[in-house]
Amino acid sequence: MRPRIGLSVMPLETRREAIVGLATEGDRLGYDGFFLPETWAYDITVLVAEAAARTTRITLGTGILGIWNRSAATIAMAAATLHATSGGRFVLGLGASTPQLAEGLHDTPFEPPVPRMRRMVTQIRALLRGERIPLAVTTNARALKLNVPPAPALPIHVAALGDAMTRLAGELADAWAPFLYPWSQLATGVERLREGATRGGHPDRLPEIHPTVPAVVADTDAKAREGAAWFVSFYVTTMGTVYRDSLTRQGYGKAVEAVLAANAPKFTGVPADAEELLEQLIVYGTPPEARRRLGRWHEAGAAFPVLLLGPNLTPEERALVLETFRPMLQSA
């Protein structure tokens, strides 16, 4: 069975046609999935619907919707609609997002996310099965159900970095979708998934591993490294403490400190003493090297890596990335 590969695009990409065009190109070239993260730009459920209308076979999903942004019922309605619109090709990815997005955009307090995620997944699954929502807050109200055809088999993926959320993914989710997670640490994540699956009463049924991995392909090693360093620097220095804390917990504290020091006050990239972060977190290089690095993710246990492309790529740059991995899609 050949390896599965998905596509995604960084939130800084705001060209709507480029975003949807990535889905149509991925569909044409044989990629297995197209997933959109929601941050502070477009409503990605609408873009996924547009992609569904313009594609025929590729899996489409949210990668991810934040659990503070909508109610469980709103998410379930969107999921049921996209399931119908796409002919059953839609998967729902959920994540905790970040305190800055929850509070700074949605005006919602960011609280401990694991209880919220548990409630959201439980309520969404019930609604998708055609059942009444199990009320948790307004418990004196009459619980309602959706007036649409049920979609009980619609997959739900949970993004997780910390141990508690990863255990919850093992308990409740169809797939675990970490981001900026070292490939060599996937086995540790599987241990947490197994603990959660045991708690959920299905120790032999683990979620698939669907990591989202930034990807940079260039004609020279130096140019590819520059792009990979930009990804690491951006997420470590500008996206709050979520990713730096996760990497520190996993033993990369000195490398994180080196990146922070190198990029203050001016954004400069990743110093040589943090090179390991590039190797662990990014698929990059000339085409042969990029394929080799992606292969490490599959070998480490990733069933369905999702390649995150950078913003504002030219058509030629995007074509280079997509063509680079086609030999893996066509392999036995």
Side-chain angles (χ1 to χ4, degrees):
M1 182 178 179
R2 71 163 178 79
R4 288 175 289 165
I5 305 172
L7 298 171
S8 185
V9 63
M10 194 181 179
L12 294 183
E13 176 60 81
T14 58
R15 299 171 298 173
R16 186 185 60 79
E17 186 55 40
I19 296 170
V20 179
L22 181 61
T24 60
E25 279 296 284
D27 189 55
R28 182 179 67 83
L29 295 174
Y31 281 86
D32 300 283
F34 174 73
F35 305 90
L36 281 181
E38 183 165 86
T39 51
W40 56 90
Y42 292 114
D43 183 330
I44 59 170
T45 63
V46 178
L47 290 187
V48 170
E50 185 176 359
R54 293 171 55 178
T55 57
T56 60
R57 44 154 296 277
I58 195 169
T59 295
L60 302 167
T62 56
I64 47 97
L65 278 181
I67 55 174
W68 312 101
N69 307 1
R70 296 168 167 84
S71 70
T74 306
I75 293 175
M77 288 189 288
T81 304
L82 289 166
H83 174 79
T85 302
S86 66
R89 292 183 286 136
F90 177 71
V91 301
L92 175 63
L94 300 172
S97 188
T98 66
Q100 179 58 50
L101 277 172
E103 298 181 352
L105 182 62
H106 297 284
D107 197 21
T108 300
F110 189 93
E111 299 169 350
V114 173
R116 171 86 171 190
M117 180 66 79
R118 176 180 293 280
R119 173 160 62 89
M120 294 290 277
V121 173
T122 301
Q123 291 179 327
I124 291 167
R125 282 206 189 278
L127 289 167
L128 291 175
R129 287 194 300 264
E131 300 169 2
R132 296 184 185 275
I133 184 171
L135 297 175
V137 179
T138 55
T139 53
N140 292 325
R142 176 173 174 265
L144 300 179
K145 59 183 178 179
L146 299 185
N147 188 28
V148 295
L154 194 156
I156 296 180
H157 300 179
V158 170
L161 295 175
D163 288 348
M165 189 70 83
T166 305
R167 289 190 190 97
L168 186 69
E171 180 181 352
L172 298 180
D174 297 292
W176 171 47
F179 173 60
L180 226 65
Y181 195 96
W183 63 265
S184 68
Q185 301 299 311
L186 288 180
T188 301
V190 170
E191 293 177 11
R192 303 291 86 77
L193 293 176
R194 196 174 303 282
E195 292 166 2
T198 299
R199 183 172 64 190
H202 48 88
D204 297 326
R205 178 172 55 81
L206 299 184
E208 287 193 336
I209 302 174
H210 292 214
T212 297
V213 186
V216 181
V217 183
D219 294 327
T220 66
D221 291 326
K223 187 175 180 181
R225 187 199 182 279
E226 181 182 356
W230 179 86
F231 263 115
V232 169
S233 299
F234 177 83
Y235 279 102
V236 168
T237 66
T238 69
M239 296 296 283
T241 64
V242 172
Y243 301 112
R244 67 180 76 159
D245 290 348
S246 171
L247 291 167
T248 298
R249 288 195 304 269
Q250 295 179 84
Y252 300 94
K254 289 185 178 180
V256 167
E257 291 172 5
V259 172
L260 292 173
N263 289 277
K266 185 179 179 181
F267 197 84
T268 61
V270 173
D273 53 352
E275 192 78 19
E276 188 176 14
L277 292 180
L278 302 183
E279 289 295 331
Q280 287 290 328
L281 303 176
I282 315 295
V283 167
Y284 74 100
T286 59
E289 281 296 290
R291 286 192 292 271
R292 179 184 68 81
R293 288 186 166 104
L294 178 56
R296 294 190 303 197
W297 286 88
H298 286 112
E299 293 164 6
F304 199 146
V306 177
L307 303 177
L308 183 75
L309 275 60
N312 302 315
L313 297 182
T314 66
E316 294 76 20
E317 290 170 333
R318 187 173 76 178
L320 176 61
V321 176
L322 295 181
E323 290 294 333
T324 289
F325 302 103
R326 285 191 75 192
M328 299 176 74
L329 294 170
Q330 296 164 352
S331 65

